């Protein structure tokens, strides 16, 4: 049992889980870049409408 | 003021906002250079259900713990598996090569039996190291519940008493037998070449304080060098710590006292700080607070409480690396911390709501008292449902000023 668990640990790789976790948290809100994109879209829309 | 930089405060910050260290208390801390940070991540931390860390990953953690400034490191029970032996080998070799600090104390755990001590020493011999290169943590139990019901049959076997008498014999019998067992084990470890011996009884927080005091006095007489008292089930309150730790310390005033807290009621760190202010000098912790059940007292919480509430900084400890250490343990253990975790969580220096972000843009001290740079971090703004116009303007100014 101990050996199997240690062997499983040798093969374990949590890096993708870890990346996904922080990407998930990071995407709960908007970034400054997304705010700027929204502002640009609004500005372009206003210009197009004259 | 152009809105992109914080305003220059015209008065000292201490005059504008009360220094958080200014409050009355009766805690008496040792000098900061006598406080010892004792990491339990590789042993008690890994005992978190489901967690298994490879020797290679443990070594990398050991390297980071050594670099960050931990003084003592528990590497577990080297005789129980090949993986544990390999961890000890890597740590001792790394210390010899200078990858770990030469003054980093390495602790091996064992029960109070000749068999466990022999097995540990055989591992050290087989690795080609001297027996006095590690500290031997010889432990037993301290509460009557443990001593009679967990260890009872073992104690009877040792003394040639039939198992049928187990439940009939009084607690006092087991206390005496337990003390003999621990002291004989300590003396034996000494006789076999151990020079640094930590000792103590599990479940200390539910034990009779007078019995703990006896364990500590007699353990030192038998050759032990450092008593340790654990809150194994995490039931101590800070008030109990304040009452009992001074009595425990008084039994062995000249020896450093180790305290070990679990977090079952969410106060493991505060109990640790209270114990340090009540006579203890050495505190155990785990990175990210991982461990049995609700975990051990989290290292970052203890260190931050000492630093920001009592002004105690551990000399040469690299606080600014705690967040990197946290991320690393998350990756190797598969256990992430919550974003609100003090000091090390993702959101600790993040702000979204309109009132807070507007205040932060005037001066970061308005809504934070821990400078992010202390933790190797910076203020982050998150934009969303609660954002206000000021921080949106800040984002736009930032973007368009770069053009």
């Amino acid at each position: 049992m101990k050996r199997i668990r240690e062997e499983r640990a040798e093969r374990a790789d949590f890096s993708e889980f870890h990346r996904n976790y922080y990407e998930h948290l990071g995407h709960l809100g908007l970034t400054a870049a997304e705010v700027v994109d929204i502002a640009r879209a609004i500005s372009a829309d206003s210009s197009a409408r004259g | 003021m152009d809105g992109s930089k914080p305003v220059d405060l015209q008065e000292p910050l201490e005059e504008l906002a009360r220094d958080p260290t200014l409050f009355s208390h009766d805690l008496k801390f040792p000098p900061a250079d006598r406080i010892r940070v004792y990491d339990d991540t590789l042993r008690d931390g890994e005992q978190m259900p489901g967690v298994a860390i490879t020797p290679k990953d443990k070594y990398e953690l050991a390297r980071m713990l050594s670099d960050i400034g931990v003084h003592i490191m528990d590497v577990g029970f080297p005789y129980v598996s090949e993986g544990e032996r390999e961890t000890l080998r890597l740590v001792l070799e790394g210390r010899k090569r200078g990858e770990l600090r030469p003054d980093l104390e390495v602790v091996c755990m064992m029960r109070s039996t000749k068999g466990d001590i022999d097995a540990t020493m055989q591992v050290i011999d087989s690795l080609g190291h001297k027996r006095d290169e590690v500290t031997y943590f010889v432990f037993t139990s301290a509460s009557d519940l443990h001593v009679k019901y967990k260890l009872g049959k073992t104690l009877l076997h040792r003394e040639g008493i039939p198992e049928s008498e187990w439940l009939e014999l009084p607690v006092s019998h087991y206390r005496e037998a337990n003390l003999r067992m621990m002291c004989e084990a300590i003396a034996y470890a000494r006789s076999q070449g151990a020079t640094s011996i930590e000792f103590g009884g599990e479940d200390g927080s539910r034990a009779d304080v007078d019995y703990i005091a006896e364990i500590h006095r007699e353990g030192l007489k038998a050759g032990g060098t450092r008593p340790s008292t654990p809150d194994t089930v995490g039931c101590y309150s800070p008030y109990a710590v304040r009452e009992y730790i001074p009595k425990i310390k008084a039994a062995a005033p000249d020896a450093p006292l180790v305290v070990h807290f679990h977090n079952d009621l969410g106060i493991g760190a505060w109990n640790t700080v209270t114990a340090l202010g009540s006579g203890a000098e050495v505190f155990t912790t785990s990175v990210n607070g991982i461990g049995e059940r609700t975990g051990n007292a989290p290292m970052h919480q203890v260190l931050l409480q000492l630093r920001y509430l009592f002004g105690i900084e551990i000399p040469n400890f690299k606080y600014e690396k705690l967040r990197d250490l946290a991320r690393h343990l998350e990756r190797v253990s598969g256990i992430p911390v919550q974003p609100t975790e003090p000091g090390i969580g993702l959101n600790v220096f993040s702000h979204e709501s309109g009132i807070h972000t507007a205040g932060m843009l005037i001066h970061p001290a308005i809504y934070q008292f821990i400078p992010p740079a202390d933790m190797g971090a910076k203020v982050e703004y998150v934009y969303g449902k609660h954002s206000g116009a000021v921080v949106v303007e800040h984002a736009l100014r930032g973007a368009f000023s770069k053009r």
Side-chain angles (χ1 to χ4, degrees):
Chain A
M1 198 171 56
K2 284 181 198 296
R3 185 173 49 78
I4 290 171
R5 187 63 190 93
E6 288 185 344
E7 286 172 1
R8 199 183 286 176
E10 290 286 349
R11 295 192 300 272
D13 181 359
F14 300 117
S15 54
E16 190 175 342
F17 161 75
H18 190 256
R19 192 168 48 251
N20 288 341
Y21 176 68
Y22 279 97
E23 275 181 16
H24 160 73
L25 292 177
H27 288 146
L28 290 176
L30 276 66
T31 63
E34 287 175 299
V35 171
V36 172
D37 287 345
I38 292 167
R40 284 201 174 107
I42 292 170
S43 174
D45 188 47
S46 299
S47 301
R49 289 181 191 201
Chain B
M1 180 187 168
D2 64 6
S4 63
K5 291 180 183 168
V7 69
D8 286 327
L9 301 177
Q10 300 301 298
E11 303 82 6
L13 180 59
E14 313 82 79
E15 289 182 11
L16 297 167
R18 181 185 60 82
D19 179 341
T21 63
L22 297 180
F23 58 94
S24 300
H25 62 84
D26 63 352
L27 299 174
K28 290 191 175 64
F29 291 95
D33 62 1
R34 283 187 49 217
I35 295 175
R36 289 287 171 270
V37 185
Y38 182 155
D39 181 76
D40 253 335
T41 312
L42 304 187
R43 197 272 303 172
D44 215 358
E46 198 205 19
Q47 287 176 209
M48 183 165 183
V51 170
I53 305 174
T54 65
K56 185 167 155 276
D57 285 337
K58 280 188 178 176
Y59 180 67
E60 179 58 16
L61 276 168
R63 204 191 55 69
M64 294 177 83
L65 288 162
S66 169
D67 176 61
I68 207 167
V70 158
H71 304 100
I72 304 168
M73 183 187 300
D74 182 349
V75 297
F77 298 80
Y79 60 87
V80 302
S81 75
E82 186 50 45
E84 301 297 284
R85 279 190 286 278
E86 177 64 1
T87 299
L88 178 62
R89 185 186 73 77
L90 290 170
V91 166
L92 292 179
E93 292 298 312
R95 190 173 63 175
K96 194 187 252 182
R97 282 197 306 273
E99 290 176 11
L100 305 181
R101 296 196 329 272
D103 62 339
L104 179 71
E105 180 182 335
V106 176
V107 177
C108 297
M109 298 278 291
M110 64 217 69
R111 293 171 298 182
S112 295
T113 70
K114 188 170 173 290
D116 278 17
I117 294 164
D118 285 340
T120 305
M121 289 185 166
Q122 281 163 16
V123 171
I124 292 163
D125 293 346
S126 70
L127 296 175
H129 289 272
K130 291 181 188 162
R131 292 182 172 184
D132 63 359
E133 289 183 40
V134 303
T135 292
Y136 297 76
F137 186 176
V138 177
F139 67 91
T140 182
S141 281
S143 72
D144 291 337
L145 178 66
H146 274 224
V147 170
K148 178 168 178 177
Y149 291 92
K150 192 186 92 168
L151 296 180
K153 289 181 184 176
T154 301
L155 295 169
L156 293 178
H157 290 159
R158 280 190 83 249
E159 311 222 330
I161 299 172
E163 211 173 272
S164 57
E165 295 191 32
W166 177 33
L167 299 177
E168 303 305 320
L169 286 168
V171 160
S172 58
H173 171 88
Y174 294 100
R175 282 194 185 191
E176 287 169 17
N178 180 50
L179 193 56
R180 271 196 299 277
M181 177 178 73
M182 186 196 75
C183 290
E184 285 172 18
I186 291 170
Y188 180 71
R190 269 278 180 192
S191 74
Q192 298 302 303
T195 54
S196 178
I197 302 173
E198 184 174 328
F199 62 95
E202 266 196 311
D203 204 20
S205 51
R206 293 191 297 174
D208 175 1
V209 166
D210 290 338
Y211 185 53
I212 297 174
E214 192 178 6
I215 287 175
H216 289 189
R217 277 193 303 269
E218 296 305 314
L220 287 171
K221 278 187 209 163
T225 52
R226 187 170 65 203
S228 174
T229 191
D231 179 16
T232 306
V233 300
C235 70
Y236 252 147
S237 75
Y239 297 102
V241 170
R242 196 75 193 98
E243 180 175 348
Y244 296 130
I245 294 296
K247 291 176 182 170
I248 293 169
K249 176 66 180 177
D254 298 326
L257 176 63
V258 182
V259 286
H260 175 94
F261 292 94
H262 280 271
N263 210 24
D264 294 67
L265 294 171
I267 46 179
W270 189 239
N271 280 336
T272 303
V273 169
T274 307
L276 288 168
S278 306
E281 295 93 351
V282 185
F283 67 95
T284 68
T285 61
S286 69
V287 177
N288 297 356
I290 67 169
E292 303 263 10
R293 305 184 309 281
T294 55
N296 291 60
M299 179 191 291
H300 57 282
Q301 291 185 13
V302 177
L303 290 167
L304 296 190
Q305 289 173 17
L306 285 172
R307 189 185 209 190
Y308 294 108
L309 296 180
F310 296 96
I312 296 171
E313 292 200 16
I314 307 300
N316 303 316
F317 196 93
K318 297 173 182 170
Y319 294 82
E320 71 281 7
K321 292 192 171 183
L322 280 168
R323 289 171 71 87
D324 285 344
L325 179 62
R327 298 294 89 78
H328 183 79
L329 181 63
E330 289 174 334
R331 278 191 289 271
V332 300
S333 66
I335 308 293
V337 300
Q338 58 186 342
T340 51
E341 184 60 33
I344 60 169
L346 182 71
N347 287 359
V348 175
F349 302 110
S350 293
H351 302 265
E352 177 182 319
S353 75
I355 293 172
H356 280 236
T357 50
M360 288 296 294
L361 287 166
I362 295 169
H363 194 282
I366 289 178
Y367 278 111
Q368 294 184 163
F369 81 100
I370 298 177
D374 283 9
M375 299 298 294
K378 57 186 176 54
V379 173
E380 302 280 354
Y381 294 112
V382 175
Y383 301 84
K385 178 182 168 184
H386 313 98
S387 295
V390 174
V391 78
V392 171
E393 185 184 338
H394 173 75
L396 297 178
R397 279 186 192 281
F400 292 111
S401 68
K402 289 175 192 160
R403 303 174 87 190

